[in-house]
Structure formats: C-alpha cells, structure tokens
Amino acid sequence: MKNIALVVGSTGITGSNLAEELIAQNWTTYGLARNHRTAVEGLETIKADLLDEEGLAEALKDIFPTHVFFTTWMRKDTEKENIIVNSAMVRNLLNALSPKKSVRHVALVTGLKHYLGPFEAYVKEGILPETPVREEHPRLAYPNFYYAQEDAVYEAAERDHFSWSIHRPHTVIGYAIGNLMNMGITLAVYASICKETGAKFVWPGSEAQWNGLSDVTDAKILAKQLIWASTTEDCKNQAFNVTNGDVFRWKWLWTRIADYFGIEAEGYNGSIRPLEKEMENKQEVWSRIAHQYGLKETHLDRLSSAWHTDLDLGRPLEVMTDMSKSRKYGFTAFESTEDSFFSLFNKLKQEKIIP
C-alpha cells in the first residue's frame, strides 16, 4: 500500500523538515497548519484549526492518511491550560480521522520535558532527574501536557487499532520562521545584533549548562527517525529519544558560534543573564539591520524565541540524552552539532534572514 503522510504542524521546524524528507522518499504528503506562510515544494497543504472540530473534519474530508505525524503544540499561560488545549488538539485530529479507518501509524513528537517536568518543578522544588535521560524513566508526579498528548494517542490507538511511536528530541535545531521554540535562529539573530552593535555575545544561562555536557537534535535527524520508527515493525508502540549522537559543552560551542559571526564571546560570570531581557528592546535595532541588509523579516518576534532559549540554557543541571534504544533497534543516523548550527546559519544568510 502506498504511504500517505499527514504532517500536523507542517510550518514548524520539525514539520517542515519532515515534510521535505517524506517527499524526498516519494511519500504522498499533506501538511496541516492554521497558516501556511511558506510551502515545501511538493507538499499538499491543508488549512485548519485543530481546536475547531467541525472545520477540521471538513478540511480532512477527502484526506485518507496512512501515517500521521503530530509535530505541533500551543503555548498557554499555565500547565493546566497547556494540558487542556494540547490534548484536545491531538484528540480532535484523531477523532476526525477515525471514521476513515485509513490510519496505520501515529507518531507524536514531544521532548525532554517528559523527564525534566515543568520548569518550576526543579527551580522551586529542586526536583532534578537522573541523566542521561532514558525512555524507561517513569512519568513525574507533576502536571505535564506531554503526558496528556500521549494518553490521547494511546486511547485512539486502542479504539482504531493503529500503532504509535513517541519521539523525544532535545532542543531541535533547524530552519523555520515564526516557530515558538527556535534556539538556532534566536542565537543567530542575537549574534547578528551583537556584531552590528559591537556588543559581546553574552552567555545567558546557568553554570551547570555552561560547564556540563549537553546534546541537541538536528531537525533532519528527527525527520529520519520519525519515518524509520513509523515503518519499522519492531519500533511500533514504543518511545524513542532522539539527538544528533554527539555531546558537547556549551562553553566550547558558545565560543565556536561567536567565532563564526566574528564577535567576542563572554561566558558564565556567576549569574544568569536572561536573553529575553537582553532582546526585549532590540526591535528598533533589528529593523535598522533588516533595512540596511535587505533582510526578509523585519519583525524580531517572528524570529527570536528568547524565552525558550532561556529555559533550555538556564537549567540548573547538565542534560544528556541516552540514544541506546534507537541504536539497538537499528537507527544509526548522525549529525555533528557544530555542523547543525553552522548549516543553519549558512541557510539563514542565503535566505536573507540574517546579514
């Protein structure tokens, strides 16, 4: 049977890179999003709101996917609201597809919050997970919308008899504009501002992150794992961590990024210096830079997600991800983290997103 993919959240970092990989592998590929800012070549686009059940059913009436890849989420003010909204999006989608009986596999992308819990849990209560994090670690006793999303998938899988896989990346690095969690582009924009203003490239995070070991996930590696798990019999109904396959220390990579942009790096100095605060009054500076270099995007908030970068880099512990399970089952894709960042920076320059 021909594979027909529905990529939910096809304009995001994960979704757009996944759509490109699926199309390259000759899948019929549909991309669902509320707004299609830029379309991947060969992608059949569907405009729909996952919280509008009637509109969603209408948008999908002629679509019969064999594989669903859920790669999106919505940020709310509290975790309670996150749970309500994000589980509803998964449930509404799978309910709309249920009568078709076409779905054979659903892949859900979550992340390391599965192991780390809400930010306030380890800041206020000192709850720190054992690292490297492994798939068999039990759920934490804290509200977590990732758990609610998983449960929505499990319920639908039991009802409709499809297989599933859960994918837990650590800080996805890749190209996408207007994404909620976009460390790579955020750092590129920050470095570009530092270069134009003569400012130092100041480390915004914690001592533990500066000195400790870490890893990240290239969006192309994540795309390959999503397809691999959804088409490999032994991988059905399992959760998988996914990272590039290497580890690094931020005190090394921070300097490498500064060198790429030709600016001076400043490391941890004894306190956390949030990037969100540093970037909050930089719209006028960015507008001037964008005009001077003829850049495509003049709105800083469409590029920078400093709040998310601060959450990642401000953690009070080093965070590493165990990839043994994927390796055991045969997933061997690898990417150098340095190459992930530099390839992204090169593309951002080519696309006139940064100078």
Side-chain angles (χ1 to χ4, degrees), residues 12 23 26 45 82 86 90 97 139 161 184 202 255 295 297 350:
I23 292 167
N26 297 315
T45 59
N82 282 334
N86 287 285
V90 175
L97 295 174
R139 289 183 175 185
H161 309 293
V202 175
T255 301
L295 304 182
E297 184 54 68
Q350 293 166 5

Side-chain angles (χ1 to χ4, degrees), residues 69-123:
F69 300 93
F70 201 95
T71 73
T72 191
W73 73 291
M74 185 177 293
R75 184 190 184 197
K76 307 299 287 185
D77 290 335
T78 67
E79 193 64 14
K80 181 179 180 179
E81 292 175 288
N82 282 334
I83 290 171
I84 293 170
V85 170
N86 287 285
S87 62
M89 292 197 299
V90 175
R91 192 174 294 109
N92 291 347
L93 175 80
L94 298 180
N95 285 347
L97 295 174
S98 181
K100 303 173 185 293
K101 306 303 180 186
S102 65
V103 177
R104 303 201 301 264
H105 187 89
V106 172
L108 171 67
V109 178
T110 60
L112 295 199
K113 183 180 173 183
H114 183 94
Y115 309 109
L116 301 174
F119 179 70
E120 57 269 18
Y122 51 79
V123 170

Side-chain angles (χ1 to χ4, degrees), residues 169-340:
H170 181 191
T171 308
V172 180
I173 305 300
Y175 181 86
I177 305 302
N179 190 266
L180 281 176
M181 301 187 295
N182 201 330
M183 178 189 285
I185 296 181
T186 298
L187 294 182
V189 168
Y190 173 44
S192 298
I193 290 174
C194 289
K195 185 169 184 175
E196 290 301 313
T197 61
K200 292 182 179 180
F201 188 53
V202 175
W203 170 252
S206 69
E207 180 180 13
Q209 283 287 299
W210 177 251
N211 290 315
L213 289 171
S214 190
D215 47 29
V216 298
T217 308
D218 191 289
K220 296 184 184 302
I221 293 292
L222 176 53
K224 292 180 186 299
Q225 194 202 56
L226 283 161
I227 299 170
W228 164 78
S230 69
T231 55
T232 301
E233 189 67 28
D234 289 344
C235 296
K236 292 180 178 179
N237 304 330
Q238 297 201 57
F240 293 97
N241 292 333
V242 52
T243 62
N244 285 351
D246 62 356
V247 295
F248 64 92
R249 299 184 196 277
W250 273 107
K251 64 181 179 181
W252 168 80
L253 185 59
W254 196 254
T255 301
R256 298 288 290 167
I257 293 173
D259 289 345
Y260 176 95
F261 285 94
I263 55 182
E264 182 181 352
E266 181 173 312
Y268 181 74
N269 74 342
S271 63
I272 293 178
R273 294 171 284 181
L275 185 57
E276 187 171 26
K277 183 176 181 180
E278 174 65 25
M279 298 286 278
E280 65 184 359
N281 296 316
K282 292 298 190 293
Q283 176 58 60
E284 184 177 344
V285 175
W286 184 254
S287 296
R288 185 171 68 249
I289 292 171
H291 177 74
Q292 180 180 348
Y293 293 96
L295 304 182
K296 291 181 180 178
E297 184 54 68
T298 60
H299 296 285
L300 187 59
D301 59 2
R302 290 256 306 137
L303 298 173
S304 173
S305 53
W307 66 271
H308 177 258
T309 297
D310 283 338
L311 288 180
D312 269 7
L313 300 184
R315 292 169 180 158
L317 74 165
E318 66 175 13
V319 179
M320 293 173 291
T321 310
D322 184 79
M323 282 285 290
S324 299
K325 185 177 181 182
S326 284
R327 303 302 187 220
K328 178 180 177 180
Y329 281 91
F331 183 72
T332 58
F334 170 86
E335 179 65 36
S336 158
T337 290
E338 186 177 40
D339 289 347
S340 289

